[in-house]
Amino acid sequence: MEIRPALHAHLEWPTQHSPLRAATVAVIEALAGAAIELSRIIAAGPLAGMVGESGGVNPDGDRQKTIDIVADRLMRDALRAAPVAAVVSEEVELPETLDPDASLCVAIDPLDGSANLENNISIGTIFSIRPKGNDIISTFFEPGTAQCAAGCFIYGPQTVLVLALDQRVDCFTLDPRTGEFVLTARDLRVPQDTPEFAINASNRRHWSGQVRNYIDECLAGVNGERGQDFNMRWIGSLVAEAYRILMRGGVFLYPADARQGYREGRLRLLYEAHPIALIMEWAGGAASSGRSRILELSARTPHQRVPLIMGSARAVRDVDAIHLTVEPLFESSDAPLFARRGLFR
Ligand code: FBP
């Protein structure tokens, strides 16, 4: 019978013995403890009394659900007991300083896609860990390449931890009998040749020419430019899409579009795009804004948004290539991403 190491034993496995890695492991274990508690609350659903809205709004102006507040409290309490100098949470406007002498900074989306909970669809916690720089707060404004680890917990049919650490991506499943995460997949690799795309197609009329071109080519199927039939998926839950891509390959797009508030996309750089990009790259996939590698981008504000294209490296390259050949549609402060030259396809 295959021996499946528990998360703790796996993390202790001596790859390197630096104080930074020890601190990183402590943060991952603290988050895992909180995720186990959160997964129990989520699994109980209405039985745990955690349904409905809290009455508050998050820094983006979205109405917070009670479960968002509970998730944020659980995760930030866990981080307070770990070697963390500061945390950026989706639910809090400004970075919070915890222990200024600690060696790590964490950005976290405590419960991504919480609106899906009412529909019993997988949702998750996304986290990004980076070494503290000279100045605590400016650590968050370094590029995504500064991350030393990242991951996501997925609360779905199984509770799963996808962990990018030591340049590798491993997967752990929560064993409900023991209450422990155990290693269930080692060194995940994103399949490269899956003709499958994921995009919220209801926004088509708002997309730029590049995105329309790419999706139209996929839809044209075997007789079109791409020469093959494509399948489409859209879950509307980033962690579930990322997990599917890790398992099956394909490409996910949440592009910038012409709607008010979407000119830089929807997803947040620090606690959504950066960590998901690290997972993709360390699993042999890719992540791009269409013009730039996500990991090379730096946030200008804690909750900055970014267009995100991620998945199989070849598919992400194909989308990038279209961005180079088709003129951008609309303007934003983030030129040349949206420099206006007005070609509409
Ligand atoms: P929040 O961070 O505001 O929860 O939104 C993120 C998200 O739910 C992602 O998980 C998902 O990919 C996306 O929004 C879905 O957006 P849309 O409803 O526009 O398709």
Side-chain angles (χ1 to χ4, degrees), residues 58 60 62 68 90-91 109 111-116 122 126 199-203 234-241 252-254 257 259 262 266-268 271-272 305:
N58 72 12
D60 262 344
D62 296 337
D68 288 321
E90 187 197 10
E91 301 302 331
D109 186 347
L111 196 56
D112 184 72
S114 57
N116 288 308
S122 299
I126 311 174
I199 192 165
N200 184 341
S202 69
N203 297 321
W234 183 249
I235 306 173
S237 171
L238 182 60
V239 292
E241 315 269 9
F252 164 99
L253 303 92
Y254 209 116
D257 67 48
R259 285 174 296 164
Y262 286 78
R266 167 168 183 141
L267 301 171
R268 269 53 67 99
Y271 42 80
E272 293 177 319
R305 296 175 192 267

Coordinates of all heavy atoms in Angstrom, one line a residue, residues 58 60 62 68 90-91 109 111-116 122 126 199-203 234-241 252-254 257 259 262 266-268 271-272 305, ligand 1:
N58 N -16.5 45.1 1.4 CA -15.0 45.0 1.4 C -14.4 46.2 0.7 O -15.1 47.0 0.2 CB -14.6 43.6 0.8 CG -14.8 43.5 -0.7 OD1 -15.1 44.5 -1.3 ND2 -14.7 42.3 -1.2
D60 N -13.4 46.7 -2.1 CA -13.8 46.9 -3.5 C -15.3 47.4 -3.5 O -15.8 47.5 -4.6 CB -13.7 45.6 -4.2 CG -12.5 45.5 -5.0 OD1 -11.9 46.6 -5.2 OD2 -12.1 44.4 -5.4
D62 N -17.7 45.4 -2.6 CA -18.6 44.2 -2.6 C -19.2 43.9 -1.3 O -18.5 44.1 -0.2 CB -17.7 42.9 -3.0 CG -17.1 43.0 -4.4 OD1 -17.6 43.8 -5.2 OD2 -16.1 42.3 -4.6
D68 N -17.4 35.3 4.6 CA -16.2 36.0 4.2 C -15.5 36.5 5.5 O -14.3 36.5 5.6 CB -16.5 37.2 3.3 CG -16.9 36.8 1.9 OD1 -16.3 35.9 1.4 OD2 -17.8 37.5 1.4
E90 N -7.9 40.4 1.3 CA -8.9 41.0 0.4 C -10.0 41.7 1.2 O -10.6 42.7 0.7 CB -9.6 39.9 -0.4 CG -10.6 40.5 -1.5 CD -11.6 39.6 -2.1 OE1 -11.8 38.5 -1.6 OE2 -12.2 40.0 -3.0
E91 N -10.2 41.3 2.4 CA -11.3 41.9 3.2 C -11.0 43.1 4.0 O -11.8 43.7 4.6 CB -11.9 40.8 4.2 CG -12.4 39.5 3.5 CD -13.5 39.8 2.5 OE1 -14.2 40.8 2.6 OE2 -13.6 39.0 1.5
D109 N -6.5 35.9 0.0 CA -7.9 36.0 -0.3 C -8.5 34.9 0.6 O -8.5 33.7 0.3 CB -8.2 35.8 -1.8 CG -9.6 36.0 -2.1 OD1 -10.4 36.1 -1.1 OD2 -10.0 36.1 -3.3
L111 N -11.5 33.9 1.3 CA -12.5 33.0 0.7 C -12.9 33.5 -0.7 O -13.8 34.3 -0.8 CB -13.8 32.9 1.6 CG -14.7 31.7 1.3 CD1 -13.9 30.4 1.3 CD2 -15.8 31.6 2.2
D112 N -12.2 33.0 -1.7 CA -12.4 33.4 -3.0 C -13.7 32.8 -3.6 O -13.9 31.6 -3.4 CB -11.3 33.1 -3.9 CG -11.5 33.7 -5.3 OD1 -11.4 34.9 -5.5 OD2 -11.8 32.9 -6.3
G113 N -14.5 33.6 -4.3 CA -15.7 33.0 -4.9 C -16.8 32.6 -4.0 O -17.6 31.8 -4.3
S114 N -16.9 33.4 -2.8 CA -17.8 33.0 -1.8 C -19.3 33.0 -2.3 O -20.1 32.3 -1.7 CB -17.6 33.8 -0.5 OG -17.8 35.2 -0.9
A115 N -19.5 33.8 -3.3 CA -20.9 33.8 -3.8 C -21.4 32.4 -4.3 O -22.6 32.1 -4.4 CB -21.0 34.8 -5.0
N116 N -20.4 31.6 -4.7 CA -20.7 30.2 -5.1 C -21.2 29.3 -4.0 O -21.7 28.2 -4.3 CB -19.5 29.6 -5.8 CG -19.2 30.2 -7.1 OD1 -20.0 30.3 -8.0 ND2 -17.9 30.7 -7.3
S122 N -17.4 24.6 -5.6 CA -16.1 24.7 -4.9 C -15.7 26.2 -4.8 O -15.8 26.9 -5.8 CB -15.0 24.0 -5.7 OG -15.3 22.6 -5.8
I126 N -6.8 31.6 -1.1 CA -5.6 31.7 -1.9 C -4.6 32.5 -1.1 O -4.9 33.5 -0.6 CB -5.9 32.4 -3.3 CG1 -7.1 31.9 -4.0 CG2 -4.7 32.4 -4.2 CD1 -7.5 32.6 -5.2
I199 N -13.8 31.1 -20.1 CA -13.9 32.5 -20.1 C -15.4 32.8 -19.8 O -16.3 32.0 -20.2 CB -13.5 33.2 -21.4 CG1 -13.3 34.7 -21.3 CG2 -14.4 32.8 -22.6 CD1 -12.5 35.3 -22.4
N200 N -15.7 33.9 -19.2 CA -17.1 34.3 -19.0 C -17.6 34.9 -20.3 O -17.4 36.1 -20.6 CB -17.2 35.3 -17.8 CG -18.7 35.6 -17.6 OD1 -19.6 35.4 -18.4 ND2 -19.0 36.1 -16.4
A201 N -18.2 34.1 -21.2 CA -18.5 34.5 -22.5 C -19.6 35.6 -22.6 O -19.8 36.2 -23.6 CB -18.9 33.3 -23.4
S202 N -20.3 35.8 -21.5 CA -21.4 36.8 -21.5 C -20.8 38.2 -21.6 O -21.5 39.1 -21.9 CB -22.2 36.7 -20.2 OG -21.4 37.1 -19.1
N203 N -19.5 38.3 -21.4 CA -18.9 39.6 -21.5 C -18.3 39.9 -22.9 O -17.6 40.9 -23.1 CB -17.7 39.8 -20.5 CG -18.2 39.7 -19.1 OD1 -19.3 40.2 -18.8 ND2 -17.5 39.0 -18.2
W234 N -16.7 27.0 -17.7 CA -16.6 28.3 -16.9 C -17.3 28.0 -15.6 O -18.5 27.7 -15.5 CB -17.3 29.5 -17.6 CG -17.2 30.7 -16.8 CD1 -18.2 31.4 -16.1 CD2 -16.0 31.5 -16.5 NE1 -17.7 32.5 -15.4 CE2 -16.3 32.6 -15.6 CE3 -14.7 31.3 -16.8 CZ2 -15.4 33.5 -15.2 CZ3 -13.7 32.2 -16.4 CH2 -14.1 33.3 -15.6
I235 N -16.6 28.0 -14.5 CA -17.1 27.6 -13.2 C -17.5 28.9 -12.4 O -18.4 29.0 -11.6 CB -16.1 26.8 -12.3 CG1 -15.7 25.5 -13.1 CG2 -16.8 26.4 -11.0 CD1 -14.6 24.7 -12.4
G236 N -16.7 30.0 -12.7 CA -16.9 31.2 -12.0 C -16.3 31.2 -10.6 O -16.7 31.9 -9.7
S237 N -15.3 30.3 -10.4 CA -14.6 30.2 -9.1 C -13.1 29.9 -9.5 O -12.7 28.8 -10.0 CB -15.2 29.0 -8.3 OG -14.4 28.8 -7.2
L238 N -12.2 30.9 -9.2 CA -10.9 30.8 -9.7 C -10.1 29.6 -9.2 O -9.4 29.0 -10.0 CB -10.1 32.1 -9.2 CG -8.7 32.3 -9.6 CD1 -8.5 32.3 -11.1 CD2 -8.1 33.5 -9.0
V239 N -10.3 29.2 -7.9 CA -9.5 28.1 -7.4 C -10.0 26.8 -8.2 O -9.1 25.9 -8.5 CB -9.7 27.9 -5.9 CG1 -9.0 29.0 -5.2 CG2 -11.1 27.7 -5.5
A240 N -11.3 26.7 -8.4 CA -11.7 25.5 -9.1 C -11.2 25.4 -10.6 O -10.9 24.4 -11.1 CB -13.3 25.5 -9.1
E241 N -11.2 26.6 -11.2 CA -10.6 26.7 -12.6 C -9.1 26.3 -12.6 O -8.7 25.6 -13.4 CB -10.8 28.1 -13.2 CG -12.1 28.7 -13.0 CD -13.1 28.5 -14.1 OE1 -12.9 27.7 -15.0 OE2 -14.2 29.2 -14.0
F252 N -7.4 29.6 -19.1 CA -8.4 30.4 -18.4 C -8.1 31.8 -18.7 O -6.9 32.2 -18.7 CB -8.3 30.1 -16.9 CG -9.0 31.2 -16.1 CD1 -10.3 30.9 -15.5 CD2 -8.4 32.4 -15.7 CE1 -10.9 31.8 -14.7 CE2 -9.0 33.3 -14.9 CZ -10.3 33.0 -14.4
L253 N -9.1 32.6 -19.1 CA -8.9 34.0 -19.3 C -9.9 34.8 -18.5 O -11.1 34.6 -18.6 CB -9.2 34.4 -20.8 CG -8.3 33.7 -21.8 CD1 -9.1 32.4 -22.4 CD2 -8.1 34.6 -23.0
Y254 N -9.4 35.7 -17.7 CA -10.3 36.8 -17.2 C -9.6 38.1 -17.7 O -8.7 38.7 -17.0 CB -10.5 36.8 -15.7 CG -11.9 37.5 -15.4 CD1 -12.9 36.8 -14.9 CD2 -12.1 38.8 -15.9 CE1 -14.2 37.3 -14.7 CE2 -13.4 39.3 -15.7 CZ -14.4 38.6 -15.1 OH -15.7 39.2 -15.0
D257 N -11.8 44.4 -19.7 CA -12.8 44.6 -20.7 C -13.3 46.1 -20.5 O -12.9 46.8 -19.6 CB -13.9 43.6 -20.7 CG -14.7 43.5 -19.4 OD1 -15.2 44.6 -19.0 OD2 -14.9 42.4 -18.9
R259 N -16.1 47.4 -19.6 CA -17.0 47.8 -18.5 C -16.3 48.7 -17.5 O -15.1 48.5 -17.2 CB -17.5 46.5 -17.8 CG -18.6 45.7 -18.6 CD -18.9 44.5 -17.8 NE -17.8 43.6 -17.7 CZ -17.7 42.5 -16.9 NH1 -18.7 42.3 -16.1 NH2 -16.7 41.8 -16.9
Y262 N -13.6 47.4 -15.0 CA -12.9 46.1 -15.5 C -11.8 46.4 -16.4 O -11.3 45.6 -17.1 CB -13.9 45.2 -16.2 CG -14.8 44.5 -15.2 CD1 -15.9 45.2 -14.6 CD2 -14.7 43.2 -14.9 CE1 -16.7 44.6 -13.7 CE2 -15.5 42.6 -14.0 CZ -16.5 43.2 -13.4 OH -17.3 42.6 -12.5
R266 N -10.6 41.8 -13.6 CA -11.3 41.6 -12.4 C -10.5 41.1 -11.2 O -10.7 41.5 -10.0 CB -12.5 40.6 -12.6 CG -13.1 40.2 -11.3 CD -14.4 39.5 -11.4 NE -14.9 39.2 -10.1 CZ -16.1 39.3 -9.7 NH1 -17.0 39.6 -10.6 NH2 -16.5 39.0 -8.5
L267 N -9.5 40.3 -11.5 CA -8.8 39.5 -10.4 C -7.7 40.4 -9.8 O -7.2 41.3 -10.5 CB -8.3 38.2 -11.0 CG -9.5 37.3 -11.5 CD1 -8.9 36.1 -12.2 CD2 -10.4 36.9 -10.4
R268 N -7.4 40.1 -8.6 CA -6.5 41.0 -7.9 C -5.1 40.4 -8.0 O -4.9 39.2 -7.9 CB -6.9 41.1 -6.4 CG -7.8 42.3 -6.1 CD -9.0 42.4 -6.9 NE -10.0 41.3 -6.7 CZ -11.0 41.4 -5.9 NH1 -11.3 42.5 -5.3 NH2 -11.8 40.4 -5.8
Y271 N -3.2 38.7 -4.3 CA -3.7 37.5 -3.6 C -4.5 36.6 -4.5 O -5.1 35.7 -4.1 CB -4.4 37.9 -2.3 CG -5.3 39.0 -2.4 CD1 -6.6 38.9 -3.0 CD2 -5.0 40.3 -2.0 CE1 -7.5 40.0 -3.1 CE2 -5.8 41.4 -2.1 CZ -7.1 41.2 -2.7 OH -7.9 42.3 -2.8
E272 N -4.5 36.9 -5.8 CA -5.1 36.0 -6.8 C -4.1 35.7 -7.9 O -3.7 34.5 -8.0 CB -6.5 36.6 -7.3 CG -7.5 36.7 -6.2 CD -8.8 37.3 -6.7 OE1 -8.8 38.3 -7.4 OE2 -9.9 36.8 -6.3
R305 N -6.1 45.3 -9.6 CA -6.5 44.2 -10.4 C -5.6 44.1 -11.6 O -4.8 45.0 -11.9 CB -7.9 44.6 -11.0 CG -9.0 44.7 -9.9 CD -10.3 45.2 -10.5 NE -11.2 45.6 -9.5 CZ -12.1 44.7 -9.0 NH1 -12.2 43.5 -9.4 NH2 -13.0 45.2 -8.1
Ligands
FBP1 P1 -14.1 37.9 -5.8 O1 -12.6 37.9 -5.6 O2 -14.7 39.2 -5.8 O3 -14.8 36.9 -4.9 O4 -14.3 37.4 -7.3 C1 -13.5 36.4 -7.8 C2 -14.2 35.5 -8.7 O5 -15.3 34.9 -8.0 C3 -13.3 34.4 -9.2 O6 -13.2 33.3 -8.3 C4 -13.9 34.1 -10.5 O7 -13.0 33.7 -11.4 C5 -14.6 35.4 -10.9 O8 -14.7 36.2 -9.8 C6 -15.9 35.2 -11.6 O9 -16.3 36.4 -12.1 P2 -17.6 36.7 -13.0 O10 -18.7 36.5 -12.0 O11 -17.4 38.0 -13.5 O12 -17.6 35.6 -14.0

